[in-house]
């Protein structure tokens, strides 16, 4: 019945979009579960406030602009969760409300909706909040299993820098198990890299995220961390490249957003590589927390230019391939038939050209027809060949008759 | 309503609503975004802008049209700079700290687009009497936009006005440059929406 309703209400593209948004929302809810495990009900309240504020803003703006909200447009849900999971669990509720309203009202609605986005709304809203309230947005509580933070808006406890920030400036180390389970001081939903990787793999198989962006971003990030390590080297550097800086979360859920990521594969490779490179530079030189968000906002500006570059490079490559193919075919034909004609000239002809004049004329007639001669010439050529064929038996017959007559 | 009153009404609607220099046309936005971070700073800028612009427009309306366009513009700027000196001294006398905060953007008002562009494009093609009223409304329209921007930015940045806390949240970024552009954009959008609704209501009536 649900299928019948959805089939009748939504078009095919709307259904695809709805399914994609639903899958991404489900993945984000899984990350929310881990956040609740470490920080208690406060994490769920922060996520709920973000989603509710986003929904109310969208509804009010839709009413004011006299646009009917579509059932399939549930980006308020995924964007609200994306924003909430980038924030610390200790963030005051008013900041969550303001950020969500800013995200939906200014960054999405004012730009013309989901079809005309320049910046990722959750990323830009997070960047705005981080610059405006750095003491609230870039300081984190310590995660504890079955933890329970106070539900008061402004937490009294002392908050600290994230695990990533500490690893960047010192050789602080934490246990491998803590890294695997994501028990790291940082944003609510970006520490559980194992779950993020599982989400990435499933989204990849559902074709919800572009593989080119995902793999190139991951590869370049790991490569840079190995070449220019912060505090850990070798395989630990590879592990820290995945775990720290919220990079995997930003790459999988924000950079691979189908509304903004480039569609062409080569453009996606460049996009992911640029994002990883810029994020690394910001972290190395500016010691920025969640530097991937700021890098993403810059790289997103060039997404359309990368697509154009990829299209131009792709068409140039295809033209080059075609030229090479044509050249190879021409060379093959030249070598083969040039070689054949030389052989023919060298060999003695096995037939008498005079006796086989009819065959030659047939051949020439056929060649003329193959060359695209008209039917008249073909007919005339055939008639000529037929005549010459007929002449031969007539000649033979006349020769025999005169010989017979002579003999008798 | 007499013809004169209706013309004044039309001029005021055009200058304040449909062609508001700051909120509709988007001109002279640099001083507004950089300097108008509070109500008092916006007020200081308003005083200098209004004095320099209006007096320059009035005086320069007597510059003969026969002169070359380039020469005319140079004369307008010269007149504006002469008017700026006493205006700046006045504002510095009564609001020294706010005048100091204006920085380079106060003297830059000498070359604002209302003096260098709108005079030639619009004002000096009209009859003097009507032109003077229209110019006054344009200046008032810009002042209204500037004061609204300054007030909004102070309320959002400090959570209140004149030291009084009114809002539960403060957004300090709004007093920065990029925050100023965002606030101006939102204010312009809201202003245009309200203007369009008022005009539609008038047409319907």
């Amino acid at each position: 019945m649900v299928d019948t309703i959805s089939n009748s209400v939504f078009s095919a593209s709307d259904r695809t979009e709805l399914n994609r948004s639903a899958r991404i929302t489900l993945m984000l809810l899984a990350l929310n579960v881990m956040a609740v495990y470490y920080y208690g009900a406060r994490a769920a309240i922060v996520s709920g406030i973000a989603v509710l504020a986003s929904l109310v803003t969208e509804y009010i703006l839709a009413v004011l602009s006299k646009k009917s909200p579509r059932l399939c447009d549930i980006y308020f849900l995924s964007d609200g969760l994306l924003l909430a999971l980038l924030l610390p669990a200790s963030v005051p509720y008013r900041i969550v409300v303001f950020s969500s309203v800013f995200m939906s009202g200014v960054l999405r609605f004012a730009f013309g909706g989901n079809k005309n986005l320049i910046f990722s709304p959750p990323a830009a809203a997070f960047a705005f909040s981080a610059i405006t309230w750095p003491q609230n947005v870039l300081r984190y509580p310590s995660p504890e299993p079955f933890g329970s933070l106070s539900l008061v808006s402004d937490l009294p406890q002392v908050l600290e820098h994230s695990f990533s920030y500490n690893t960047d400036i010192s050789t602080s180390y934490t246990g491998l198990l803590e890294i695997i389970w994501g028990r790291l001081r940082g944003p609510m939903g970006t520490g559980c890299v194992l779950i993020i990787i599982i989400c990435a793999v499933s989204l990849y198989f559902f074709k919800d995220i572009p593989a080119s962006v995902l793999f190139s971003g991951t590869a370049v990030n790991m490569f840079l961390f190995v070449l220019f390590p912060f505090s850990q080297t070798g395989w630990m550097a590879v592990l820290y490249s995945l775990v720290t800086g919220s990079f995997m979360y930003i790459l999988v859920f924000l950079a691979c957003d189908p509304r903004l990521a480039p569609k062409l594969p080569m453009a996606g490779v460049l996009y992911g590589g640029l994002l990883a490179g810029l994020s690394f530079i910001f972290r190395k030189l500016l010691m920025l927390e969640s530097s991937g968000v700021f890098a993403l906002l810059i790289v997103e500006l060039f997404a359309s230019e990368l697509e154009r570059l990829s299209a131009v490079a792709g068409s140039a490559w295809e033209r080059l391939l075609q030229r090479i193919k044509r050249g190879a075919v021409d060379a093959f034909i030249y070598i083969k038939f040039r070689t054949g004609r030389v052989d023919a000239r060298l060999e003695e002809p096995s037939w008498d050209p005079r006796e086989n004049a009819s065959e030659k004329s047939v051949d020439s007639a056929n060649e003329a027809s193959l060359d695209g001669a008209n039917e008249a010439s073909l007919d005339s050529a055939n008639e000529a060949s037929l005549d010459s064929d007929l002449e031969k038996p007539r000649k033979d017959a006349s020769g025999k008759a005169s010989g017979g007559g002579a003999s008798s | 309503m007499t013809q004169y009153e209706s013309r004044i009404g039309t001029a005021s609607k055009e200058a304040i609503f449909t062609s508001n220099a700051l909120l509709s046309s988007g001109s002279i936005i640099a001083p507004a975004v950089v300097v108008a971070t509070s109500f008092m700073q916006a007020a200081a800028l308003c005083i200098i802008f209004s004095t320099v612009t209006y007096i320059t427009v009035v005086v320069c309306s007597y510059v003969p049209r026969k002169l070359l366009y380039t020469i005319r513009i140079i004369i307008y700027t010269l007149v504006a700079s002469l008017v700026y000196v006493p205006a700046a001294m006045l504002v510095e006398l009564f609001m020294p700290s706010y005048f100091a905060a204006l920085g380079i953007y106060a003297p830059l008002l000498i070359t604002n687009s209302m003096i260098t562009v709108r005079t030639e494009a619009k004002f000096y093609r009209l009859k003097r009497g009507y032109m003077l009223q229209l110019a006054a409304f344009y200046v008032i329209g810009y002042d209204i936009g500037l004061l609204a921007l300054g007030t909004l930015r102070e309320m959002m940045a400090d959570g209140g006005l004149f030291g009084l806390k009114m809002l539960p949240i403060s957004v300090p970024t709004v007093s920065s440059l990029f925050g100023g552009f965002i606030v101006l954009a939102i204010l312009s959008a809201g202003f245009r929406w309200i203007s369009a609704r008022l005009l539609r209501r008038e047409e319907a009536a």
Side-chain angles (χ1 to χ4, degrees):
Chain A
M1 185 185 165
V2 173
D3 286 339
T4 313
I5 292 169
S6 71
N7 285 342
S8 62
V9 169
F10 304 131
S11 65
S13 61
D14 284 349
R15 268 202 307 280
T16 314
E17 221 175 283
L18 182 63
N19 289 338
R20 187 189 290 138
S21 303
R23 279 193 287 270
I24 290 176
T25 305
L26 211 61
M27 310 289 171
L28 294 172
L29 285 173
L31 287 171
N32 254 291
V33 168
M34 290 307 292
V36 171
Y37 171 65
Y38 285 127
Y39 302 107
R42 190 187 172 95
I45 290 172
V46 167
S47 300
I49 289 172
V51 168
L52 198 63
S54 185
L55 170 65
V56 169
T57 311
E58 292 256 352
Y59 180 75
I60 290 171
L61 289 171
V63 165
L64 286 176
S65 61
K66 295 189 177 103
K67 284 183 193 163
S68 54
R70 300 190 310 160
L71 278 173
C72 62
D73 197 0
I74 61 165
Y75 279 107
F76 68 91
L77 196 58
S78 56
D79 284 351
L81 287 173
L82 280 168
L83 175 64
L85 289 170
L86 274 173
L87 298 170
S90 55
V91 67
Y93 300 140
R94 60 184 181 280
I95 292 177
V96 183
V97 171
F98 183 90
S99 304
S100 299
V101 169
F102 182 73
M103 176 182 71
S104 292
V106 177
L107 296 168
R108 188 160 58 237
F109 183 81
F111 278 91
N114 290 315
K115 304 261 186 261
N116 300 311
L117 294 176
I118 302 174
F119 302 111
S120 168
F126 172 79
F128 186 86
S129 310
I131 293 169
T132 309
W133 302 285
Q135 299 301 320
N136 294 114
V137 174
L138 299 178
R139 299 288 185 273
Y140 308 94
S142 173
E144 299 294 333
F146 300 106
S148 171
L149 289 177
S150 167
L151 299 182
V152 171
S153 180
D154 289 282
L155 283 184
Q157 68 205 71
V158 174
L159 306 168
E160 290 178 19
H161 283 288
S162 67
F163 169 74
S164 307
Y165 184 85
N166 291 330
T167 54
D168 289 352
I169 59 171
S170 69
T171 54
S172 69
Y173 174 76
T174 191
L176 207 58
L177 214 58
E178 285 177 341
I179 289 174
I180 290 170
W181 289 120
R183 197 183 151 187
L184 304 169
R185 197 186 284 265
M188 269 194 330
T190 68
C192 310
V193 177
L194 188 63
I195 295 178
I196 293 172
I197 290 173
I198 293 168
C199 294
V201 168
S202 60
L203 287 172
Y204 165 68
F205 280 115
F206 275 113
K207 295 190 172 59
D208 287 338
I209 54 174
S212 50
V213 177
L214 178 68
F215 292 127
S216 68
T218 312
V220 171
N221 192 45
M222 285 199 288
F223 180 69
L224 287 171
F225 261 79
V226 168
L227 270 188
F228 310 106
F230 279 91
S231 54
Q232 307 293 333
T233 54
W235 285 111
M236 285 308 287
V238 172
L239 181 66
Y240 273 52
S241 74
L242 295 175
V243 167
T244 57
S246 310
F247 183 76
M248 284 309 293
Y249 177 88
I250 292 163
L251 182 65
V252 171
F253 292 108
L254 295 178
C256 292
D257 190 336
R259 294 173 292 179
L260 290 155
K263 306 282 183 289
L264 299 174
M266 187 174 149
V269 167
L270 292 172
Y271 184 81
L274 267 174
L275 170 66
L278 210 54
S279 169
F280 183 83
I281 289 170
F282 283 167
R283 240 176 105 173
K284 195 83 172 169
L285 298 178
L286 305 176
M287 307 294 292
L288 271 180
E289 292 253 30
S290 297
S291 59
V293 169
F294 299 96
L296 178 67
L297 292 175
I298 293 172
V299 170
E300 272 169 349
L301 290 172
F302 299 102
S304 57
E305 289 306 314
L306 290 174
E307 288 227 15
R308 202 179 299 175
L309 177 71
S310 173
V312 165
S315 66
W317 176 249
E318 269 183 34
R319 278 201 301 273
L320 183 66
L321 279 178
Q322 274 182 7
R323 204 174 272 185
I324 291 172
K325 208 193 279 182
R326 221 181 305 133
V329 167
D330 288 345
F332 175 74
I333 291 170
Y334 175 73
I335 290 167
K336 181 176 170 53
F337 288 101
R338 183 171 177 272
T339 309
R341 278 200 290 279
V342 165
D343 289 342
R345 278 201 297 273
L346 286 174
E347 286 174 9
E348 285 184 8
S350 58
W351 41 267
D352 188 357
R354 286 173 297 177
E355 285 180 8
N356 293 292
S358 60
E359 288 178 11
K360 262 195 184 171
S361 65
V362 170
D363 286 338
S364 64
N366 284 337
E367 277 179 11
S369 67
L370 282 170
D371 290 337
N374 54 30
E375 285 187 7
S377 62
L378 181 61
D379 288 341
S380 62
N382 283 336
E383 279 175 12
S385 67
L386 278 170
D387 286 340
S388 60
D389 280 334
L390 285 169
E391 272 174 23
K392 192 182 151 188
R394 259 191 249 131
K395 277 182 191 170
D396 292 337
S398 61
K400 277 183 188 171
S402 60
S407 64
S408 65
Chain B
M1 192 187 283
T2 63
Q3 198 184 6
Y4 174 76
E5 282 167 352
S6 72
R7 268 181 58 182
I8 295 294
T10 312
S12 63
K13 265 181 224 156
E14 180 203 325
I16 294 173
F17 291 105
T18 53
S19 299
N20 188 298
L22 183 65
L23 299 175
S24 296
S25 311
S27 53
I28 325 173
I29 59 172
V33 168
V34 176
V35 168
T37 56
S38 66
F39 178 82
M40 289 308 293
Q41 265 181 243
L45 194 65
C46 277
I47 294 168
I48 294 186
F49 170 80
S50 308
T51 320
V52 168
T53 306
Y54 192 71
I55 295 174
T56 306
V57 167
V58 169
V59 168
C60 293
S61 66
Y62 292 99
V63 170
R65 303 287 112 220
K66 287 179 206 165
L67 286 176
L68 202 60
Y69 170 79
T70 319
I71 304 292
R72 289 205 303 272
I73 298 296
I74 293 170
I75 292 173
Y76 300 164
T77 319
L78 199 62
V79 169
S81 56
L82 290 172
V83 176
Y84 169 78
V85 172
M89 287 168 69
L90 202 71
V91 172
E92 198 178 5
L93 187 67
F94 289 106
M95 309 160 87
S97 58
Y98 297 115
F99 177 75
L102 296 181
I104 190 73
Y105 290 94
L108 275 179
L109 288 173
I110 289 164
T111 55
N112 76 70
S113 62
M114 220 175 272
I115 295 172
T116 55
V117 175
R118 219 174 274 252
T119 45
E120 289 292 323
K122 194 178 185 76
F123 294 149
Y124 296 159
R125 292 167 193 255
L126 305 167
K127 283 194 176 166
R128 186 166 282 114
Y130 179 68
M131 182 271 290
L132 292 175
Q133 287 160 5
L134 186 67
F137 283 125
Y138 266 92
V139 168
I140 290 169
Y142 184 81
D143 290 344
I144 291 171
L146 199 58
L147 289 171
L149 179 65
T151 309
L152 192 62
R153 283 175 85 179
E154 186 178 346
M155 282 194 68
M156 289 181 74
D158 299 338
L161 267 179
F162 307 119
L164 284 171
K165 196 91 177 149
M166 291 174 195
L167 299 174
I169 187 170
S170 64
V171 188
T173 331
V174 156
S175 55
S176 69
L177 209 56
F178 81 91
F181 275 112
I182 292 173
V183 171
L184 179 63
I186 295 170
L187 192 63
S188 298
F191 180 81
R192 284 190 182 197
W193 181 66
I194 292 169
S195 305
R197 275 188 74 125
L198 288 172
L199 282 168
R200 254 185 272 130
R201 212 178 275 175
E202 261 191 38
E203 278 165 20

